[in-house]
Amino acid sequence: MNSIKIPNYGDTNFITGMRAWAALITVLIHTGGAGLRGLGPIGNYVADLGRTGVYTFFVISGFCVAQSFFHSKSYKNYFSKRYHRIAPLYFFWLTICGIRIYASTGLESFDFLDIFLRYSFLGFFNYKIQSNGWIGVEWSLPIEMFWYVFVPPLMLLCNTVKKAVVLVLFSLPVILALKSTLNHILKDTGVDVGNFYHWSPIPYFFSFSLGILAFNIRQSLSKFFIDKKYIINLNFFALAVYILLASYSIKVQRYEFFIISIFTFLVLSFGSHTNIILKTLFIPKPIQVIGVLSYGIYLCHIQVMGMWNNFSSLIPNPTVKFLIVAAGSIFVSFLTYKVIEQEKYKSIFKIKTLNN
């Protein structure tokens, strides 16, 4: 995999490594925890942290979207870059999985509206589509696309650190008020309000707002006379304490969306590729390669896991299952990266893309 070009983002190179770990912990939870669940409460909760990988992705996406818009010539140029960053590979896997489902069940599993919502990134209008994905994990992509549309105007309104802080604080009552409003409006309709809310873009206003704030902070770091190393080290210590507490308390686990989102935000805001923790965890070349392939890993690992399940009875060990599915997903993602994601393919669209 030496042919993979690792992008150079300067002082934020660690972001590529963060993507790698977010993808790997997603594979971890979907494959059963790699044996960690047998190590007691702490091991069990570390395995459960796989469900927070997407929270990390959303905050990173908010940061990168803000950065992409800031460096774009126009909204059209920006949106083309973002759309063609995720659409080709998504359409590939959506089509492959759709064909597989058709071969198994026939036309009765399909209807025009279902297909339209999936291919148009509008699946959040039907929570049943979001919770019953063809690929298995694509629920997050319509949410990404939704915020691709709305992050730029939020950026224009909140182009300073103070204004971005207000945006983050504003997002909290908004998401709570919208949930209460949905409960009131949909209570007699038969709609599962909890699932409708969870699979919608609404709760992730907070995540993308944090990404915008992180971008504004990094733009203004020269104005802050703070010890960034101290903040990052304390941030990781706080995460370790949270994991310890959450391992023994379901009540503490309820805050994991906010804890993981804020943890990611602080790393994005004050991290540096020279920090010893970030350098160790996120900068090594194998981790950087996995980070480049992370989007492909995220989309294909459920399919790889499905193939492995046909032979899992031969080697039922959960650690082996994780390692094989992770390795297989990396390999498949490498192939799709070379054929679909690389610049040679993107040049068909005649746009200059930023791989972030």
Side-chain angles (χ1 to χ4, degrees):
M1 297 187 180
N2 290 330
S3 60
I4 292 179
K5 183 179 179 181
I6 299 175
N8 183 6
Y9 300 129
D11 202 36
T12 59
N13 276 340
F14 61 86
I15 293 177
T16 302
M18 291 177 71
R19 288 193 180 105
W21 287 109
L24 289 175
I25 65 172
T26 303
V27 177
L28 178 73
I29 191 171
H30 287 157
T31 53
L36 291 173
R37 297 196 183 281
L39 301 179
I42 295 178
N44 188 60
Y45 185 66
V46 169
D48 284 339
L49 279 175
R51 62 178 171 243
T52 69
V54 72
Y55 305 154
T56 297
F57 275 125
F58 282 150
V59 181
I60 292 175
S61 184
F63 176 87
C64 292
V65 167
Q67 186 178 59
S68 180
F69 178 67
F70 182 81
H71 292 291
S72 296
K73 297 178 182 178
S74 65
Y75 183 91
K76 181 180 178 181
N77 173 253
Y78 147 80
F79 192 77
S80 291
K81 289 185 291 186
R82 302 316 307 174
Y83 181 85
H84 291 102
R85 171 69 184 94
I86 70 171
L89 190 59
Y90 168 63
F91 289 157
F92 169 78
W93 280 114
L94 195 62
T95 302
I96 292 294
C97 294
I99 292 172
R100 177 178 57 81
I101 293 171
Y102 170 75
S104 301
T105 64
L107 285 175
E108 61 267 20
S109 298
F110 299 89
D111 64 67
F112 175 78
L113 181 59
D114 184 333
I115 295 171
F116 172 75
L117 291 176
R118 292 182 191 276
Y119 277 91
S120 61
F121 293 98
L122 297 174
F124 53 78
F125 280 113
N126 186 339
Y127 70 92
K128 293 181 181 179
I129 288 177
Q130 290 285 78
S131 61
N132 187 29
W134 292 357
I135 302 173
V137 294
E138 71 270 28
W139 68 272
S140 65
L141 299 183
I143 292 172
E144 288 259 351
M145 192 62 71
F146 177 90
W147 288 111
Y148 285 178
V149 173
F150 289 103
V151 163
L154 292 175
M155 277 280 295
L156 294 175
L157 290 172
C158 307
N159 56 1
T160 66
V161 172
K162 289 182 179 179
K163 291 179 180 179
V165 169
V166 173
L167 178 67
V168 172
L169 296 177
F170 174 71
S171 71
L172 293 172
V174 166
I175 62 179
L176 294 175
L178 285 175
K179 186 173 185 180
S180 177
T181 301
L182 287 173
N183 276 317
H184 179 73
I185 294 175
L186 302 176
K187 64 179 180 179
D188 297 322
T189 63
V191 173
D192 186 330
V193 177
N195 277 327
F196 183 90
Y197 178 80
H198 174 72
W199 300 112
S200 75
I202 296 170
Y204 310 105
F205 182 16
F206 177 70
S207 307
F208 282 83
S209 297
L210 283 177
I212 293 172
L213 175 57
F215 173 76
N216 278 288
I217 288 175
R218 291 201 76 90
Q219 290 292 102
S220 308
L221 273 181
S222 59
K223 301 177 183 178
F224 290 85
F225 298 97
I226 55 176
D227 187 340
K228 293 183 288 183
K229 176 183 175 181
Y230 174 79
I231 291 177
I232 293 300
N233 294 347
L234 183 61
N235 192 33
F236 274 88
F237 175 76
L239 178 65
V241 171
Y242 168 76
I243 290 174
L244 180 62
L245 295 175
S247 298
Y248 294 93
S249 173
I250 295 177
K251 289 182 179 180
V252 176
Q253 291 178 24
R254 294 173 184 173
Y255 299 99
E256 68 182 12
F257 167 66
F258 296 101
I259 297 297
I260 299 301
S261 297
I262 292 171
F263 167 81
T264 305
F265 154 74
L266 289 172
V267 174
L268 292 174
S269 299
F270 303 106
S272 168
H273 70 290
T274 59
N275 178 274
I276 187 63
I277 296 177
L278 302 188
K279 188 175 182 180
T280 301
L281 291 176
F282 304 134
I283 300 301
K285 187 173 180 180
I287 296 299
Q288 290 276 300
V289 169
I290 294 173
V292 173
L293 300 176
S294 59
Y295 178 47
I297 294 169
Y298 178 72
L299 285 181
C300 82
H301 75 275
I302 296 293
Q303 317 314 315
V304 174
M305 187 172 69
M307 291 186 288
W308 164 249
N309 286 340
N310 295 326
F311 307 97
S312 59
S313 60
L314 300 176
I315 310 177
N317 186 286
T319 304
V320 173
K321 179 179 181 179
F322 166 71
L323 293 174
I324 290 178
V325 172
S329 299
I330 292 170
F331 177 72
V332 171
S333 300
F334 171 73
L335 297 179
T336 56
Y337 172 83
K338 299 297 289 185
V339 175
I340 298 175
E341 291 188 86
Q342 261 192 328
E343 291 294 331
K344 291 181 180 178
Y345 179 84
K346 291 177 181 178
S347 65
I348 295 174
F349 300 101
K350 298 180 180 180
I351 59 171
K352 183 179 180 182
T353 61
L354 294 175
N355 190 23
N356 57 32

